Amino acid sequence: MIHNFEELTSIENIFQAWSEFRKGKKKRKDVQIFERNLEDNLFALYFTLKNETYQHGDYHAFYVHDPKRRHIHKASVRDRIVHHLLYKYLYEIYDKNFIYDSYSCRLEKGTHKAVKRMERFARKVSRNYIGLCWVLKLDIKKFFANVDHQILLDLLKRKIKDPNILWLLKNVIDSFNSELREGKGIPLGNLTSQIFANIYMNELDQFIKHQLRVKYYIRYADDFIFLSDSVVELKKYIIPLKEFLLKSLKLELHPSKIIFRRLDWGIDFLGYIVLPHYILPRTKTKRRMFKKLEEKRNSKNFNQTIQSYLGYLKHARAYKLRREILRSFATPR
C-alpha cells in the first residue's frame, strides 16, 4: 500500500509501472522510440515528478468504431506511465468501497459477469420465470464529456490527503477538456479515466442502494439497469435519479435511452440478449462478426479475431453460429 507522494513516484515504482505498461505494447512505434533511451526517459520523468515540474502533455486524437464511433484521445508514453502509477494507487484505495454490482474495469468483473448477474436477478424477480420481470435500462448523456473536474477533485479529496498526490491528480484531470466547455470531461483512452469514472459514478451507486434502496441494480460504466416485477415501481425511480444526477454530479439521463422492457421480450444488455432460460448474441453483432471476419481473412491477426468472437459466443446459446464460423473461416478455402 502506497502512503505518500514519495512512495508513489519513487524510481522503483516508475520502473515497475513501465514494466506493467509495456506488456502487449512492445511492437508499437511510440513505445519502441521511448525504449531506445529508456533509463534517461524514466529518470527524467522521475525528476519532474520529484521536483513537481511535471506537466501533462497534449493528446493524439483519433476515431475508432467498436461499433459506435468513439473519439479517442491518446496520451504520450511518458504520460501513460504516470496514468499507470495513479490507476494502481487509486484502485487499491477505492475498489473496496464500490458496490458489488459495479462491473466496469474491475478485477474479477467485466461484461460477462454483469450479464450472468442480470440473468440471476431476472430469475429471482420472476420467481424462476413464472411471474413478470420488468427491466429499466438507462444511461448518461455524453458521460465522459460531462464529468465535472471540480466535483471529481472534491470526491478524490475525501480520501486522499497528500497535497502532492492531489497536485498530480489535478494535473492529469485538467490536461483534458471536452468540446463542451472548460473544466469538463475525461478522455476516452486514458487508463485513469476508467477509475475516475467508477469513483464519480459510485456516488450514484450509493444513492441507488442506500437512498432508493434498490435491490436489483447493475451498472457497467454509464449503462445501468434495474429489475422489478412491477413497472410502476421502476417508473418511480426516474425523477429522483434525474434530480440526484443534476444536483450532485451535473449529469443528465439520456432522454431517448430510458427504456422499459419485459424479460420475455428480450433484454439487450452489454452485447447480449437476455431471455428466460437462455442468452443469445445480438443480431447486429452476428452480422458485424461475419463482415469483420471476411474483411480480415488475410490479415496477420485473423486467427486472433476468430478466437475473440468464439470467446464472445461461448457465453451465449450459439452452438450453430460457432460451428458456422469455424466451417466458413477456420478452414482454408
Side-chain angles (χ1 to χ4, degrees):
M1 179 74 179
I2 288 169
H3 298 96
N4 55 47
F5 183 74
E6 288 71 29
E7 290 179 21
L8 175 67
T9 58
S10 69
I11 192 64
E12 295 83 7
N13 209 27
I14 288 172
F15 268 88
Q16 179 67 26
W18 158 256
S19 177
E20 292 169 1
F21 160 79
R22 184 174 174 268
K23 287 175 185 173
K25 304 182 183 74
K26 296 175 187 177
K27 294 182 180 179
R28 295 184 185 174
K29 189 175 179 181
D30 56 349
V31 175
Q32 290 176 344
I33 291 169
F34 188 89
E35 199 167 13
R36 285 174 195 165
N37 299 293
L38 180 63
E39 288 196 4
D40 288 346
N41 287 331
L42 292 181
F43 272 99
L45 174 59
Y46 164 70
F47 285 117
T48 62
L49 290 168
K50 184 177 186 243
N51 300 327
E52 294 182 43
T53 57
Y54 170 79
Q55 188 62 45
H56 196 288
D58 294 333
Y59 291 88
H60 168 59
F62 57 95
Y63 288 93
V64 297
H65 297 81
D66 67 339
K68 286 196 295 187
R69 189 170 185 257
R70 296 182 186 277
H71 200 186
I72 303 296
H73 290 81
K74 182 181 175 183
S76 69
V77 171
R78 162 186 172 269
D79 292 328
R80 281 183 281 158
I81 293 167
V82 174
H83 299 169
H84 206 95
L85 288 172
L86 289 172
Y87 178 85
K88 283 184 68 182
Y89 169 72
L90 293 172
Y91 191 96
E92 194 166 356
I93 292 172
Y94 280 95
D95 190 71
K96 57 183 174 285
N97 300 116
F98 296 153
I99 66 166
Y100 182 86
D101 287 310
S102 162
Y103 286 86
S104 175
C105 305
R106 297 178 68 195
L107 297 174
E108 307 299 324
K109 299 288 184 177
T111 55
H112 301 133
K113 292 276 181 74
V115 172
K116 288 290 183 185
R117 182 71 161 170
M118 188 209 151
E119 184 185 38
R120 184 180 171 192
F121 280 174
R123 195 166 60 246
K124 284 186 176 181
V125 170
S126 65
R127 302 184 306 282
N128 283 325
Y129 310 121
I130 294 168
L132 285 178
C133 174
W134 283 92
V135 175
L136 167 60
K137 283 183 62 184
L138 302 167
D139 81 0
I140 305 295
K141 184 179 179 182
K142 294 183 178 177
F143 170 69
F144 281 90
N146 278 298
V147 168
D148 185 273
H149 291 188
Q150 191 55 56
I151 292 174
L152 177 56
L153 282 165
D154 289 343
L155 293 174
L156 291 165
K157 285 175 186 176
R158 290 182 190 174
K159 287 193 173 293
I160 298 163
K161 303 304 177 186
D162 188 310
N164 294 329
I165 294 177
L166 288 169
W167 161 78
L168 183 56
L169 285 164
K170 187 175 190 309
N171 198 314
V172 171
I173 291 167
D174 288 344
S175 69
F176 177 82
N177 288 286
S178 74
E179 297 167 359
L180 299 178
R181 67 171 183 263
E182 194 83 8
K184 291 270 191 182
I186 52 177
L188 281 168
N190 271 16
L191 181 62
T192 46
S193 294
Q194 299 175 6
I195 190 74
F196 288 155
N198 275 340
I199 291 167
Y200 207 84
M201 290 295 279
N202 183 54
E203 297 301 298
L204 176 67
D205 296 341
Q206 299 299 334
F207 172 74
I208 287 167
K209 297 303 287 185
H210 299 296
Q211 301 299 317
L212 298 183
R213 298 184 178 277
V214 178
K215 188 174 182 181
Y216 299 113
Y217 162 73
I218 297 168
R219 181 177 64 80
Y220 188 95
D222 61 326
D223 290 317
F224 46 109
I225 62 167
F226 303 79
L227 296 89
S228 173
D229 59 1
S230 167
V231 71
V232 175
E233 180 186 350
L234 293 178
K235 286 178 179 178
K236 288 178 182 176
Y237 298 145
I238 300 295
I239 291 174
L241 285 169
K242 283 182 177 178
E243 290 174 350
F244 175 82
L245 284 166
L246 194 59
K247 183 179 176 182
S248 299
L249 299 175
K250 295 186 180 176
L251 297 173
E252 295 177 55
L253 290 179
H254 199 302
S256 62
K257 294 185 179 178
I258 300 172
I259 298 166
F260 294 91
R261 282 190 70 83
R262 244 171 48 188
L263 179 66
D264 55 331
W265 299 345
I267 309 300
D268 187 337
F269 185 52
L270 302 178
Y272 294 92
I273 304 297
V274 181
L275 285 146
H277 303 291
Y278 56 93
I279 298 168
L280 297 175
R282 294 174 71 197
T283 303
K284 284 182 183 177
T285 306
K286 287 189 279 187
R287 286 200 297 265
R288 190 169 69 249
M289 218 180 279
F290 279 93
K291 184 181 175 186
K292 282 283 182 189
L293 286 170
E294 196 59 58
E295 287 172 0
K296 293 195 169 189
R297 187 185 282 276
N298 298 313
S299 67
K300 289 181 182 178
N301 60 350
F302 178 62
N303 190 56
Q304 187 180 338
T305 304
I306 287 183
Q307 294 308 316
S308 173
Y309 285 138
L310 292 177
Y312 159 79
L313 294 172
K314 184 175 69 176
H315 299 275
R317 184 181 286 187
Y319 172 75
K320 288 182 180 178
L321 185 56
R322 284 167 60 87
R323 192 174 61 183
E324 188 179 348
I325 286 173
L326 288 168
R327 187 173 63 244
S328 302
F329 296 102
T331 55
R333 282 182 170 177

